[in-house]
Amino acid sequence: MNKVTVIQPTLTEKASLRVAAYCRVSSDSEDQLHSYAAQIKAYTAMVARQPNWQLVDIYADEGITGTDMDKRDDFKRMLTDCRKGRIDKILTKSVSRFARNTRDCLVTLRELAARGVSVQFEKENIDTGALTTEMLVSVFASMAQEESMSISQNQRISYQRRMERGEFITCFAPFGYKLVNGKNLEIDENEAKLVRWIFAEYLNGKSTVWLAEQMELMGIATKTGIK
């Protein structure tokens, strides 16, 4: 009788999934430090719980840059690493953290998909590794874009209301004033004399160019020290 030789299969170790995390943090320096540290800890722990995941890096940009990809240096660095084949999967909190512009969001996701890189959105429970989720991502990205526009509009209204209350909202007070407690304007009597002179000469027919020339001759600079 012929003998049957059983050949045992060769067991190969499953390759690790190279995972990156992307987050946007507060633009305030102190909050940014705490937020970034917290997210590093959370994503490091999340990746560590998966036996076949390997953390590549955690990329973070300031929160104010969400609408414009060109201003997000770490986002661009992450995409460069994806193009170099260093990343298989990206973790991010939500679509709004990833992008608040629908077109840029979908263009980026399609490029990543073509390179075999998937994106997992925690809040929406979406993983772009599933081909049927692009429509959902489009909806969420549209919502995120609308949210960003709403926030921007609310900020403009807030600025208007503060100005109506007499609260100044920039770093430098206008000439003739000084800034008190970071938001209230108070007349600077030394500069106020010049302001009154400027108005009086203008009402007498002098041009703004002439006024500027006279102030230069008197050695008077702007609040920021410019002629």
Side-chain angles (χ1 to χ4, degrees), residues 25-225:
V25 295
S26 168
S27 56
D28 179 85
S29 57
E30 186 174 351
D31 288 344
Q32 184 182 69
L33 181 64
H34 294 157
S35 176
Y36 187 44
Q39 291 184 69
I40 287 177
K41 184 177 180 180
Y43 281 122
T44 302
M46 182 185 299
V47 173
R49 287 195 295 269
Q50 303 296 327
N52 295 315
W53 283 15
Q54 174 190 346
L55 183 62
V56 176
D57 203 351
I58 294 177
Y59 305 80
D61 288 304
E62 288 186 7
I64 58 174
T65 60
T67 53
D68 193 342
M69 296 244 184
D70 291 338
K71 296 179 181 178
R72 292 196 278 167
D73 293 335
D74 241 25
F75 189 86
K76 291 188 290 185
R77 183 170 69 90
M78 180 181 69
L79 292 183
T80 298
D81 286 345
C82 289
R83 290 164 186 150
K84 291 179 179 179
R86 297 173 178 171
I87 299 171
D88 301 315
K89 190 180 191 67
I90 297 170
L91 305 176
T92 190
K93 188 69 177 176
S94 65
V95 173
S96 63
R97 294 288 178 91
F98 188 76
R100 288 191 172 179
N101 178 296
T102 307
R103 185 188 66 83
D104 287 346
C105 179
L106 292 179
V107 166
T108 303
L109 291 177
R110 286 177 184 137
E111 179 190 348
L112 293 174
R115 296 178 183 277
V117 181
S118 64
V119 182
Q120 182 174 317
F121 301 102
E122 296 177 60
K123 181 180 177 181
E124 293 84 4
N125 194 27
I126 294 174
D127 191 330
T128 61
L131 297 178
T132 57
T133 59
E134 183 171 324
M135 185 175 293
L136 285 174
V137 172
S138 178
V139 171
F140 283 120
S142 297
M143 291 169 59
Q145 185 174 357
E146 187 67 28
E147 178 188 0
S148 178
M149 293 171 64
S150 175
I151 291 172
S152 179
Q153 178 66 23
N154 289 341
Q155 285 179 333
R156 286 195 293 269
I157 293 173
S158 172
Y159 291 157
Q160 182 178 342
R161 295 290 181 268
R162 288 166 65 186
M163 292 293 280
E164 288 172 354
R165 293 196 302 267
E167 296 178 1
F168 200 65
I169 55 174
T170 63
C171 299
F172 297 100
F175 196 85
Y177 294 88
K178 54 188 174 182
L179 203 56
V180 180
N181 297 325
K183 63 179 181 178
N184 297 317
L185 291 177
E186 187 175 293
I187 293 174
D188 183 323
E189 286 301 334
N190 291 326
E191 293 180 356
K193 295 174 184 177
L194 284 165
V195 173
R196 296 186 186 103
W197 172 80
I198 290 169
F199 274 79
E201 292 299 319
Y202 183 78
L203 292 174
N204 285 331
K206 298 297 193 297
S207 70
T208 53
V209 173
W210 183 88
L211 288 165
E213 289 172 348
Q214 298 308 304
M215 293 186 75
E216 277 199 28
L217 290 173
M218 289 185 279
I220 299 167
T222 65
K223 285 284 193 179
T224 56

